[in-house]
Amino acid sequence: MTDNKFQNIIDTLGIDTFEKIRSAKVLVVGAGGIGCELLKNLVLSGFRDIHIIDLDTIDLSNLNRQFLFRKHHIGMSKAKIARESVLKYCNNSDDIKIVAHHADIKTHEFGPNYFKQFNLVMNALDNLSARRHVNRICLSVDIPLIESGTAGFLGQVSVIRKGVTECFECIPKVPPKEFAVCTIRSNPSAPIHCIVWAKMLFGRLFGLADDSNAVTDMDDNIVEGDKDDTDNVIRDELLPLAKQKSYEQWVFHKVFYTDIDRLARMTELWKEKKPPRPLVYDELFSPDGQQTTTTTTTTSNGINSSSGRGLKDQVVMSFQENINMFVESIRKLQVQNEQNGALTWDKDDNLALNFVVSASNIRSHIFNIPLKSKFDIKAMAGNIIPAIATTNAIISGLIVLEAFKVLNNEFDKCKSTYLLKQPSGKRLLLPIDPEKPKSDCYVCSQNFITLKINTKTTTLSQLLNDVLKKNLSFHDPILTVGASLLYEGGDEDLSKEEIEERNKLEQKIIADYKMPDNTILNVEDYLQNFKVSILIIHCETFDEDGKWFDISGKQKDQSTNNNNNHDSNNNNNNNTEDDLDDLEIIENPVDMQIDASSDKSTAKRKEIESETSDSTKKHKLNENNEQ
Ligand SMILES: Nc1ncnc2c1ncn2[C@@H]1O[C@H](COP(=O)(O)OP(=O)(O)OP(=O)(O)O)[C@@H](O)[C@H]1O
Ligand SMILES: [Zn+2]
């Protein structure tokens, strides 16, 4: 029967619910901040058949809140160590079975058939694409999903059940902020512009070749775009000389002298502000690489630096210290690059972070922008909102409370609960009824998507990678129009020649690829067990700068006529939404960060407003909290 240590649970939930907990098989996706707390809650509540998946290894920066991990675990699989540590809570007894997978949930091993074995899936993820992926599979095999997330003091838990509640994709998520390329490249005015630039420069110098990375042209000594009075292209004769000396000197000269010199000469740009000042390597370093100036404690733009008190990383380094760090990090990264091939920027890789800190601060100095500490730059470069252990703990507790209702099939009692920053009616937790599935959701309601795109200039490769994979989170899409198969991914069964042939096809323009204006393209992903029809509308101009396609939800019956004037239900743009921590976070109940124009947001807002103002409803709110 049961163990005494669960007597409290039995007394509270009743023996029937407890037996369901004992026999349930559940999947936890993610063993990070929420995942660690959740696993501990699950075993302490009596769950004993748990699968846990996480693709990552333990990092030093996880230890302050991911309490299942210790310093000696750094570098080891999160899922496996989480399993080991959590088993200690139940003294390895209690007939408990935890299966840990050190793997990406988006791989074929974990397709719909794998999901079918569970009574419940719980997401403890940190990115949109994996969340969407799990949402689609759970819908396809009709397994309840509990979705959750935290951002600083804010948090949210919601239950997703096919046909009963809205799904994760019923409401479009607010895309991450993007900066205009010209601001990053030519006219920065805030530290974040220089930080974005430095990350791009890292990719340009040490990452994979990427034609869209326009941070600087590293290939020759032409001062781009500039011609003298007699129409000769202007060249920077010093650049090839710098190249002969060392890689770091060449990079330094190119990005902090040649490019800046060119910008400084664009007088139109500097009518109302101080022009940038190019830096000369030899004025900062002697030919033997030693610095020529003494370390200053104040930057030229008057910002106090390293003499300040506080933790080392929280102090703003002097200009000279940034210069030294820049040169040193390039030297070391170049060695890594030669040994390991292309590098990927990672906020937790100290050397990569040093590069971005120093490069962005030097650029800030040049453009008269305040310098920032390594701590601040790491937060901005990693889009980090400090993770708070207590928030994760509260949210994980709420997940388990919803799990009990799910196991009891009490979907009518399930709540979407928001953890607020400020109390609302003295309560920090705001439970509301989940919304019904949105009728025009292309994921849970089988509706059409409308895609406006220039069919005469866009290639199949752009459609596949930027629209279908990055924006719509397909993993391995198969494209058909009518009965003809247009494209199928996967390299397993293809010969080298066939792959080459397919790569060539991917470069074809989509209009030449049986997809002219007003085509209905069917896209299917076997791994997600998900398909959608996309109405393609040819469009040559878009309202926003830099935008080259537009996606909107569309009812099936309306979409088949060729009418460009359809309503945009979704707000998708061209951003890669992968890194977005995509919570429907609300700062305060009447200021919800859902698509403010949607009916749903208005309805929810009204509900919350009335709940927080009406005393009888407040009572209901209190009842709801005592779930
Ligand atoms: N596709 C995926 N498959 C499996 N696990 C994933 C996937 N995507 C993300 N995860 C895991 O989800 C967890 C999310 O946890 P959390 O938000 O605490 O992130 P973190 O990486 O541990 O911390 P931070 O991002 O704050 O440094 C991470 O451990 C991450 O490895
Ligand atoms: Zn939906």
Side-chain angles (χ1 to χ4, degrees):
M1 247 285 282
T2 52
D3 194 321
N4 279 347
K5 73 179 172 190
F6 294 119
Q7 198 54 50
N8 281 344
I9 305 260
I10 298 168
D11 292 346
T12 315
L13 301 175
I15 189 71
D16 287 354
T17 306
F18 186 66
E19 291 304 343
K20 283 178 192 147
I21 293 172
R22 298 304 266 171
S23 55
K25 184 168 188 176
V26 299
L27 169 64
V28 175
V29 192
I34 296 179
C36 284
E37 292 280 348
L38 179 59
L39 267 182
K40 172 261 293 170
N41 291 350
L42 289 173
V43 296
L44 292 181
S45 312
F47 284 85
R48 55 180 176 179
D49 196 354
I50 306 170
H51 278 220
I52 169 88
I53 302 183
D54 197 300
L55 52 69
D56 209 0
T57 51
I58 295 157
D59 185 81
L60 178 69
S61 64
N62 300 143
L63 302 187
N64 64 354
R65 63 193 184 286
Q66 297 173 22
F67 69 99
L68 297 176
F69 310 139
R70 293 284 176 270
K71 207 165 178 185
H72 60 274
H73 292 136
I74 290 175
M76 297 177 180
S77 153
K78 282 185 167 181
K80 300 209 157 142
I81 299 301
R83 174 186 175 275
E84 265 176 35
S85 304
V86 90
L87 280 173
K88 291 186 188 147
Y89 279 94
C90 30
N91 304 321
N92 288 339
S93 61
D94 197 29
D95 192 18
I96 189 159
K97 191 174 133 211
I98 302 181
V99 179
H101 298 280
H102 181 193
D104 184 341
I105 189 67
K106 296 192 289 179
T107 45
H108 284 87
E109 202 186 327
F110 306 107
N113 281 337
Y114 172 78
F115 274 66
K116 276 184 191 159
Q117 61 185 303
F118 301 104
N119 300 94
L120 169 65
V121 176
M122 286 162 273
N123 269 351
L125 285 161
D126 60 355
N127 64 84
L128 187 58
S129 122
R131 281 182 165 121
R132 283 175 160 181
H133 188 85
V134 176
N135 178 50
R136 291 173 191 187
I137 301 185
C138 285
L139 287 169
S140 84
V141 290
D142 201 1
I143 304 289
L145 166 66
I146 303 183
E147 179 54 75
S148 64
T150 59
F153 292 103
L154 304 173
Q156 184 192 334
V157 175
S158 40
V159 176
I160 295 172
R161 181 70 208 268
K162 187 180 180 178
V164 177
T165 69
E166 67 182 7
C167 84
F168 183 72
E169 295 173 81
C170 274
I171 299 289
K173 304 294 178 266
V174 181
K177 189 160 173 43
E178 281 211 337
F179 300 101
V181 173
C182 60
T183 307
I184 301 304
R185 212 175 127 94
S186 316
N187 201 357
S189 57
I192 187 67
H193 301 151
C194 299
I195 294 167
V196 172
W197 174 89
K199 276 173 77 177
M200 289 171 76
L201 183 63
F202 180 93
R204 193 81 167 88
L205 298 177
F206 309 112
L208 286 173
D210 174 5
D211 291 344
S212 65
N213 186 338
V215 65
T216 183
D217 174 7
M218 303 304 292
D219 302 330
D220 55 31
N221 62 339
I222 293 176
V223 180
E224 274 172 72
D226 268 14
K227 296 193 173 168
D228 65 14
D229 298 342
T230 50
D231 223 25
N232 292 322
V233 178
I234 297 179
R235 286 173 187 277
D236 173 11
E237 302 304 341
L238 295 175
L239 192 59
L241 293 178
K243 201 167 199 167
Q244 284 164 18
K245 293 182 182 163
S246 67
Y247 185 64
E248 62 273 13
Q249 190 157 339
W250 172 66
V251 173
F252 187 100
H253 188 86
K254 176 70 176 86
V255 299
F256 297 135
Y257 181 87
T258 317
D259 291 351
I260 303 297
D261 184 46
R262 166 185 157 257
L263 287 174
R265 278 185 286 108
M266 296 178 171
T267 41
E268 284 294 303
L269 278 178
W270 317 113
K271 277 188 175 151
E272 286 174 15
K273 56 181 175 180
K274 226 167 135 188
R277 209 160 36 96
L279 298 178
V280 180
Y281 185 91
D282 289 341
E283 286 174 8
L284 297 157
F285 287 94
S286 63
D288 62 2
Q290 298 301 307
Q291 67 186 61
T292 55
T293 53
T294 49
T295 304
T296 51
T297 51
T298 331
T299 68
S300 66
N301 47 25
I303 311 297
N304 281 336
S305 63
S306 55
S307 60
R309 296 191 329 163
L311 291 172
K312 193 167 151 261
D313 285 357
Q314 293 182 9
V315 172
V316 179
M317 289 189 303
S318 69
F319 172 62
Q320 186 66 51
E321 281 168 328
N322 277 294
I323 298 270
N324 297 349
M325 186 186 263
F326 180 78
V327 168
E328 194 186 312
S329 55
I330 293 193
R331 279 183 195 143
K332 290 184 178 161
L333 286 165
Q334 197 197 3
V335 174
Q336 275 192 9
N337 196 182
E338 275 162 14
Q339 285 170 352
N340 308 334
L343 309 177
T344 326
W345 195 79
D346 175 358
K347 67 181 185 335
D348 295 320
D349 174 344
N350 194 42
L351 192 52
L353 179 62
N354 281 351
F355 174 85
V356 165
V357 169
S358 53
S360 61
N361 270 339
I362 298 171
R363 188 162 168 91
S364 289
H365 172 94
I366 289 172
F367 284 89
N368 308 299
I369 297 167
L371 274 56
K372 288 278 171 193
S373 69
K374 186 168 171 177
F375 184 84
D376 286 344
I377 291 175
K378 182 174 179 180
M380 288 192 262
N383 287 331
I384 302 169
I385 301 170
I388 295 175
T390 320
T391 310
N392 288 336
I394 296 170
I395 290 302
S396 315
L398 291 170
I399 297 174
V400 179
L401 293 183
E402 292 305 317
F404 297 152
K405 299 178 208 167
V406 169
L407 295 183
N408 274 330
N409 237 334
E410 296 174 325
F411 288 95
D412 52 327
K413 292 194 181 154
C414 288
K415 297 281 169 201
S416 290
T417 306
Y418 297 89
L419 175 61
L420 310 175
K421 202 168 170 185
Q422 306 290 340
S424 158
K426 296 198 183 156
R427 308 297 301 236
L428 274 175
L429 290 179
L430 184 66
I432 57 174
D433 289 332
E435 293 289 322
K436 298 268 169 278
K438 214 163 182 273
S439 64
D440 60 356
C441 173
Y442 69 89
V443 177
C444 67
S445 297
Q446 299 278 306
N447 270 303
F448 269 38
I449 293 175
T450 299
L451 170 66
K452 283 193 198 172
I453 198 160
N454 191 333
T455 56
K456 296 178 187 156
T457 55
T458 310
T459 61
L460 179 68
S461 160
Q462 287 170 310
L463 176 72
L464 280 167
N465 295 314
D466 294 317
V467 182
L468 299 179
K469 291 187 182 172
K470 283 188 187 163
N471 202 289
L472 292 174
S473 296
F474 280 97
H475 183 78
D476 205 355
I478 298 171
L479 314 190
T480 49
V481 171
S484 7
L485 175 70
L486 293 194
Y487 179 88
E488 190 170 6
D491 294 340
E492 299 88 32
D493 305 326
L494 297 182
S495 65
K496 207 172 141 221
E497 291 72 36
E498 283 170 322
I499 293 175
E500 273 169 18
E501 185 57 28
R502 194 182 59 192
N503 291 346
K504 260 194 234 156
L505 289 177
E506 286 182 14
Q507 298 316 317
K508 268 175 82 170
I509 301 301
I510 59 175
D512 300 339
Y513 210 114
K514 299 188 197 152
M515 279 182 269
D517 189 17
N518 209 19
T519 301
I520 292 177
L521 171 71
N522 295 307
V523 185
E524 184 158 13
D525 194 315
Y526 286 133
L527 179 57
Q528 299 177 344
N529 207 359
F530 172 60
K531 61 177 168 203
V532 76
S533 300
I534 302 181
L535 173 69
I536 297 187
I537 306 263
H538 173 71
C539 178
E540 295 191 1
T541 49
F542 293 87
D543 317 340
E544 279 169 45
D545 264 7
K547 188 163 181 162
W548 56 278
F549 65 88
D550 179 71
I551 296 171
S552 57
K554 188 73 187 142
Q555 299 289 337
K556 192 172 188 167
D557 50 349
Q558 296 164 335
S559 61
T560 37
N561 64 40
N562 182 11
N563 174 8
N564 284 7
N565 252 342
H566 52 277
D567 295 335
S568 253
N569 294 331
N570 293 1
N571 254 343
N572 294 359
N573 67 9
N574 311 343
N575 294 329
T576 303
E577 296 178 355
D578 251 20
D579 293 332
L580 176 68
D581 215 348
D582 38 68
L583 281 171
E584 207 180 343
I585 287 289
I586 47 176
E587 277 283 347
N588 78 50
V590 286
D591 185 23
M592 300 181 69
Q593 205 198 313
I594 320 166
D595 176 12
S597 61
S598 78
D599 290 339
K600 176 188 170 209
S601 119
T602 318
K604 259 192 186 170
R605 195 184 303 235
K606 278 191 187 143
E607 183 181 343
I608 295 161
E609 272 169 352
S610 66
E611 277 189 328
T612 48
S613 60
D614 174 328
S615 60
T616 48
K617 289 259 179 85
K618 240 182 224 167
H619 178 64
K620 184 176 149 218
L621 194 71
N622 292 347
E623 276 174 3
N624 286 339
N625 265 330
E626 287 148 17
Q627 320 168 49

